[in-house]
Amino acid sequence: MRRIFSYIILTLFIWFISACNITRNVPDGYYLLVSNDIDVPNGTEVDKDEIEDVIRQRPNHRTIGFRLRLRAFNTIDSTKAQQDAQDRLQKNIKKNKRRLARQEKINKRRIKRALKRGEDFYKPKEIELKDTIDPRPTFRERIKYEYGEAPVIYDSASMINSKEQIELFMVKKGYFDAKVRTEVSLKSEKKHADVDYIITPKTAYIVDSLFLRTSNSIVEKTYRKYLEEGENVLIPPFRFDSEGLGNMRKSLTDFMKNSSVYGFKESYISFEVDTLGGNDTIQVAIDISKRIVGKDENERVKPFVNTRINEVVFHLMDTLNYPGNFQKEQLDPRGIKLGPYEDIPTFDTLRYDWYDGKNEKYRTATFLYNGKLTTKPELIEFQNYLEENNYYKGDYVSQSYNRLMNLNIFKTVRPELIENDYNTIDVHYYLTPLEQRTFSFEPKATHSNSFLGVSTSLNYINRNLYRSGNRLKISFSGGFESLPDVFSTSDESKVINDETRSLNTIEFGPSFELELPGLYPIGLKRLSKNQNPVTTFSGAYSYQQRPEFKRQTIQVNYLWKFYDIARSQLFTVGIPVIGGIQFVRIDKTESFEERLEEQNDLFLINAYSNQAIYKDVALNYSYNNPNLNEGKMIFNYGFSFDVAGMAMSLITQNNEVNENGYKEFLGQRYSQFVRLDNNFTLHQYLNEKSFHYRLQVGAGVPLENNGPSLPFDYSFFGGGSNDNRGFRARSLGPGVYKYYLDSNSTVTEMGDMRLGASAEFRFKVSSLIEGAIFSDAGNVWTYNEDVNRSGGQITTDFYKQMSVSGGLGVRLDFSFLIVRLDFGIPLRNPALPDKAKWIFQSRDPYYQEAKDEWGIDPNTGDYYYKNDDFNFPKPFQPQIHIAIGYPF
C-alpha cells in the first residue's frame, strides 16, 4: 500500500512539472525572462546576491529548481477559472435570494406575534448573506492566482532601470566610476530571454580620513570612547561603503544614548564626503547637528549633556484593592469622567527606599496606586534599571520594559520619560495588571515519537500569589495514547499499522508548579538586578496503565533559574539531592514478568524495574541568538547534565545489597549514573525558503548501583518523526545489532549514547502549505555489552555505524498549529551486512544471513525460516510519520 502511495505521488509530481509549456501564456513577439546573469570581475568586493536584490525585473520563482508557480498558473485555463467565478457568483446570488425570502418570512411572523402581544416593536432576524462583491475564490482561482505566478515578460525599460540601479549601488559601494553594460539573448523558438549585466567596476575609492566635526565637548569625548569600544567602527583606510557608514551611524547613536547622552537621535548625524583631492582617496567628515527642543515660539537649542535620573514613579492603574466605591469617592468629587480607553488615575502614594549600606544605593522609587498596592514595591523596583540618581542609558528603557512584562502580572507596561531642567529626566511607568486568577480547560491531540493520542488538562493559575509575583499553577491531566507492545510478535508493517494505532495506554495525574522571583530563601534585596533569577518548585504524580504493566511516577524538583538581561540565555541549577527526586514503581503482569525472565535481558529488566533517582547535579542551559547575519539566521544551543546517586552511595556505603545485588535507601533501590546531552540547531532564512540543521550528541554512563543501562526516562532512542525519519520510532540501533535475526527483538530499542544529525530544506508552496526535503543520520549505542543485542556496544568504529535516511515532507501551517507529514526512506542501515547496507546495493548478503541463521525449510523450500511468530522483515521499508510541529 505504501509503495502504491509513493508511486501515485511521484506520478502526480512528474505530471505537474511536465504537463505544460512554461511559455504557453507568453504572447507572440514577447519573451519569458528566464535568467539574470551578473558578470563581476574577480577581486571586486561586492556580493552578487546584493546586486541581484536591486534588479527590478526578476525571473519567475523557482522551487527546488522548477518553476512550480509558473506551471501552476499555466496549468489552469483562465477561461475555466473565470467561468468558475461566474458560476460561484450566480450561486451566491441565488442563495441570497432564498435567504432574503426566508428572512422576510421570519420577520413577518415576528411582526405578527408582536402585534398579537400588543407590542409596538420586534427584534428583526438578520440572516448572513453570501459575499457577491468579493466572493471567496474558487479552487481554480486559488491555484492560478494565489499560488500561481504569471509569466515574467522581458521588458527593456525595466532592464534599463535595473542597469541604472546597479550603477547607483556600485557608487554606494565606493566604485564611483563603475559602468554597467547589458547583453540580451532572445530565443525566438523558445520565447526565452536571458539578460546579462556586465559590470566594469573600475577603481574603488578609499577613505583615508574620517573625522568628527562638533563644538560639543561631551559628544567629542564620547566619540573618542566610541572609537575604542564601539561596534561597526570604521578605521581609515577603508573602501567607501555607504551601508558601512550607515551601520556606523546607527552604532554611534546607540553608543551616545548608552553613555547618558539623552535625546541623541540618528538623524543628528550626517556625513560630508570630499572627493576633490584629484586621486582615488576621499575624506569623510562626521557632522553632529545641534539639538532643537520645543516647538514654535518655545523652540530652542539645548546642548547634549550627560543626563541623570531625577525621579522614578510607578503608576499602578487599577482599583483591585480599593475598599470602597472608587467612582463615587474619588472620581465624582473631582469631576472626572473616564472614557472606555482612558487610564485609571491614582491617588495614594508610597515612597519606597531600600539601602542598608551593602546593596545598590539607587533602589528608591515612588508608587502611585489606589487603596493598597497589588504587588509588593520591592518586586517592581527590582525590574527597573533606570534608577534614581543614576545615569541614563538608552538600553535601560527596553530592558526595564521587558523585565516588567516578563513578570507576567501586567497586561500593559508603558514607560514615559520627561526631560527636566538641570540635565535630569523623570521616568514614569504606567502599569495595568492582568487578571490574577484563571481557569482553563485544554483538550488536545498529543504526539510522542510517532505515537498519537488524545489528552486534556484542567488548569488553575494564580499569577501573583501573596502580591509577590509568585506564579502557582495546579493541573490535572489525563489521556490515551497509542504505544506498541514491548515484545513485538509481528513484522514492522503490522506493528506500525495495528499496534501503534490503538489507544492502548491510559495516563493521568496531578501536578503543580510554583515560580518565585529571586533565589529562595534569599530575598530580592540581597540580589543583583543583573542576575534576574527565578526559583521553581514543582511536583507531579503520574499513573500509566498499559497491557503489560502499571507504572506510577512521583517527581519533585527544586530549581534555580538564571536569565540574562535579553533572556537569550537560561541556566538552570537543581539544588543537590533535593533538586530532582523521582520515584518509579512498576507493577508488571505475570505474563510480562515471565517474558522478561525468559529472555534474561538485563537491559530490559533494568528499564522496567522500580527505581528512585536522587540528582546530585542537575544543570540545564539554553542559548538563543536570533540576530546572526542581520536576523537571517538563528542559532540555538542547549545541554543538560545530570549526576545521580553519588550522595546516596556515600550514605549507604555500609549497607548490605539486596537480593538483586543493589543497595537501597529507605527501602528503595536508587539509580546511579552520569549523563550529558547536547543539542545544536541552526536556522537560515532566505525569503520563502529556509535551511535547517541539527546536531545531537549525548552520552550517559550507568554506574555501580544502576544496572547495565541508564533508567528508561534517561535513555536515548533513535528513529521516529523527530529523529531519523527513515525508521520507526525507537526502532533504530543500538549500534549494529541485527534485530531482523532476533525473533525475541522488541519494538523499543534504547541506548546510553546518541549521535545524530539532520538537515532540512523548507520551501513555501502557498500561505498554508510548506514543502520539505530532508536527510537524517545517526544511531544509539549501549555503554556496556548486551548479550541480547550483540553489536550494540559503543566502539571506536562508531562513525561507521551511522544510519542515513532521506525523504520529502509536507507541513500545513494553521498559524496556531503545524501539522506535519513526512515520508522517510532509509538509505543506509548499519545493521545490515557489508555490501548490503545502502539501499542501492544488492540484497543477496542480507538474505544469505537468513539462510545461514535458519537454513532452508525442507517442507516449503523457502530460503529462510518463517512462521506466524516471526517474519523476516523487508529492508529499506519507507516510513510515513504524522506529527505536530516541526521536527526541530
Side-chain angles (χ1 to χ4, degrees), residues 598-616:
E598 177 185 336
Q599 289 198 207
N600 193 30
D601 190 328
L602 298 180
F603 282 74
L604 282 179
I605 292 174
N606 180 67
Y608 296 100
S609 62
N610 297 338
Q611 292 178 341
I613 297 174
Y614 300 88
K615 290 187 180 180
D616 307 288

Side-chain angles (χ1 to χ4, degrees), residues 217-426:
S217 60
I218 298 296
V219 171
E220 186 175 2
K221 179 181 177 181
T222 307
Y223 177 75
R224 288 198 300 269
K225 187 177 180 182
Y226 166 75
L227 294 178
E228 298 175 358
E229 304 175 5
E231 298 179 353
N232 301 318
V233 178
L234 296 176
I235 304 297
F238 61 88
R239 176 177 54 84
F240 177 86
D241 186 344
S242 61
E243 183 179 355
L245 290 173
N247 292 335
M248 182 176 178
R249 175 165 54 187
K250 184 179 184 305
S251 175
L252 177 57
T253 301
D254 293 339
F255 193 88
M256 288 287 179
K257 291 179 180 178
N258 290 322
S259 299
S260 74
V261 182
Y262 180 75
F264 198 93
K265 298 179 182 179
E266 193 172 336
S267 58
Y268 291 143
I269 303 176
S270 61
F271 299 102
E272 183 178 297
V273 180
D274 182 5
T275 60
L276 300 179
N279 51 28
D280 300 333
T281 61
I282 57 178
Q283 295 180 338
V284 177
I286 304 176
D287 289 321
I288 308 296
S289 61
K290 295 180 179 179
R291 183 184 177 218
I292 307 297
V293 298
K295 292 183 179 181
D296 301 329
E297 64 275 5
N298 296 322
E299 186 176 282
R300 60 190 175 90
V301 175
K302 188 170 185 179
F304 293 110
V305 295
N306 295 122
T307 305
R308 286 182 177 270
I309 310 298
N310 175 57
E311 185 180 22
V312 176
V313 182
F314 292 95
H315 304 257
L316 278 76
M317 301 182 299
D318 62 78
T319 59
L320 298 176
N321 290 334
Y322 189 79
N325 188 312
F326 186 75
Q327 177 72 38
K328 292 183 178 180
E329 297 175 10
Q330 297 292 346
L331 300 184
D332 291 347
R334 294 177 170 87
I336 298 175
K337 300 291 185 180
L338 289 181
Y341 301 105
E342 292 186 71
D343 294 336
I344 297 175
T346 51
F347 302 107
D348 295 321
T349 304
L350 171 70
R351 180 63 181 170
Y352 174 79
D353 189 350
W354 171 257
Y355 177 59
D356 62 356
K358 298 179 181 179
N359 65 311
E360 294 289 345
K361 61 183 178 180
Y362 306 112
R363 293 193 177 182
T364 58
T366 299
F367 288 81
L368 301 179
Y369 57 98
N370 295 308
K372 183 180 179 181
L373 281 169
T374 53
T375 305
K376 292 182 178 179
E378 57 263 29
L379 174 64
I380 298 177
E381 196 282 328
F382 189 74
Q383 318 307 319
N384 174 50
Y385 288 102
L386 294 165
E387 299 166 320
E388 291 185 355
N389 300 314
N390 208 346
Y391 280 104
Y392 159 83
K393 286 184 66 173
D395 285 348
Y396 282 171
V397 180
S398 59
Q399 290 171 6
S400 301
Y401 170 83
N402 291 333
R403 286 283 295 267
L404 288 166
M405 288 298 296
N406 288 332
L407 286 175
N408 200 30
I409 60 178
F410 297 115
K411 185 188 334 183
T412 61
V413 174
R414 190 178 80 249
E416 184 178 305
L417 277 60
I418 300 175
E419 189 173 8
N420 305 317
D421 294 331
Y422 311 109
N423 307 327
T424 64
I425 59 172
D426 293 335

Side-chain angles (χ1 to χ4, degrees), residues 1 51 62 81 155 195 206 260 382 388 393-394 397 421 580 644 674 717 780:
M1 184 67 184
I51 298 176
R62 285 177 178 264
D155 178 29
V195 180
I206 303 300
S260 74
F382 189 74
E388 291 185 355
K393 286 184 66 173
V397 180
D421 294 331
V674 178
F717 303 92
V780 298

Side-chain angles (χ1 to χ4, degrees), residues 504-739:
N504 60 355
T505 301
I506 182 174
E507 186 170 2
F508 62 86
S511 64
F512 81 91
E513 181 180 79
L514 177 63
E515 284 192 349
L516 293 76
L519 300 178
Y520 185 85
I522 304 172
L524 287 179
K525 298 176 180 178
R526 304 294 179 184
L527 300 175
S528 167
K529 291 183 179 181
N530 292 330
Q531 291 176 310
N532 194 17
V534 174
T535 300
T536 299
F537 295 97
S538 63
Y541 168 79
S542 173
Y543 175 86
Q544 183 188 67
Q545 181 171 337
R546 294 187 54 179
E548 304 93 343
F549 56 82
K550 297 176 182 177
R551 189 170 187 261
Q552 301 179 72
T553 304
I554 298 176
Q555 187 162 345
V556 179
N557 295 303
Y558 177 6
L559 306 172
W560 283 352
K561 298 180 180 179
F562 299 88
Y563 296 91
D564 67 342
I565 292 178
R567 295 184 76 87
S568 62
Q569 300 182 70
L570 170 61
F571 189 71
T572 303
V573 180
I575 307 303
V577 182
I578 62 174
I581 301 176
Q582 183 178 3
F583 298 98
V584 179
R585 178 180 177 84
I586 297 182
D587 298 317
K588 298 178 281 290
T589 63
E590 290 185 9
S591 60
F592 185 63
E593 187 81 58
E594 291 173 358
R595 188 67 184 274
L596 286 174
E597 294 177 358
E598 177 185 336
Q599 289 198 207
N600 193 30
D601 190 328
L602 298 180
F603 282 74
L604 282 179
I605 292 174
N606 180 67
Y608 296 100
S609 62
N610 297 338
Q611 292 178 341
I613 297 174
Y614 300 88
K615 290 187 180 180
D616 307 288
V617 178
L619 302 178
N620 288 273
Y621 173 78
S622 63
Y623 169 73
N624 172 265
N625 186 349
N627 299 316
L628 292 176
N629 195 19
E630 299 179 351
K632 295 180 180 179
M633 299 180 70
I634 297 177
F635 173 74
N636 297 292
Y637 168 66
F639 78 80
S640 61
F641 179 63
D642 297 304
V643 179
M646 301 301 185
M648 292 299 104
S649 67
L650 293 176
I651 295 174
T652 62
Q653 59 182 336
N654 297 323
N655 293 5
E656 297 293 331
V657 298
N658 61 17
E659 58 183 4
N660 296 318
Y662 299 112
K663 292 185 178 182
E664 297 180 346
F665 178 72
L666 300 178
Q668 177 69 57
R669 169 197 166 190
Y670 60 87
S671 297
Q672 190 177 11
F673 62 89
V674 178
R675 182 181 186 271
L676 173 65
D677 191 21
N678 297 272
N679 189 70
F680 305 80
T681 60
L682 180 65
H683 308 271
Q684 182 179 11
Y685 296 93
L686 304 170
N687 297 326
E688 294 186 340
K689 55 188 176 183
S690 56
F691 295 89
H692 306 265
Y693 312 93
R694 177 181 63 182
L695 176 64
Q696 296 173 294
V697 183
V701 179
L703 300 177
E704 182 179 0
N705 207 63
N706 196 82
S709 62
L710 294 175
F712 185 86
D713 291 340
Y714 293 86
S715 295
F716 295 103
F717 303 92
S721 63
N722 293 331
D723 192 76
N724 204 313
R725 283 163 280 183
F727 298 83
R728 285 186 298 111
R730 302 185 177 187
S731 68
L732 181 60
V736 292
Y737 159 59
K738 297 182 180 299
Y739 61 93

Side-chain angles (χ1 to χ4, degrees), residues 407-502:
L407 286 175
N408 200 30
I409 60 178
F410 297 115
K411 185 188 334 183
T412 61
V413 174
R414 190 178 80 249
E416 184 178 305
L417 277 60
I418 300 175
E419 189 173 8
N420 305 317
D421 294 331
Y422 311 109
N423 307 327
T424 64
I425 59 172
D426 293 335
V427 180
H428 293 260
Y429 294 100
Y430 296 89
L431 312 174
T432 304
L434 277 169
E435 184 178 357
Q436 183 173 345
R437 300 175 184 86
T438 58
F439 288 90
S440 64
F441 178 72
E442 300 178 6
K444 58 183 177 181
T446 63
H447 168 262
S448 176
N449 294 295
S450 295
F451 305 126
L452 302 180
V454 292
S455 70
T456 187
S457 63
L458 179 65
N459 308 309
Y460 164 77
I461 296 178
N462 189 320
R463 292 185 174 86
N464 197 11
L465 191 66
Y466 302 125
R467 300 187 305 117
S468 299
N470 302 332
R471 181 180 180 272
L472 173 65
K473 179 179 181 180
I474 301 175
S475 300
F476 185 88
S477 59
F480 300 89
E481 191 175 10
S482 301
L483 292 175
D485 293 335
V486 175
F487 297 104
S488 170
T489 58
S490 306
D491 65 14
E492 296 183 12
S493 61
K494 186 170 176 31
V495 170
I496 197 69
N497 290 333
D498 297 339
E499 302 294 345
T500 64
R501 292 298 178 259
S502 60

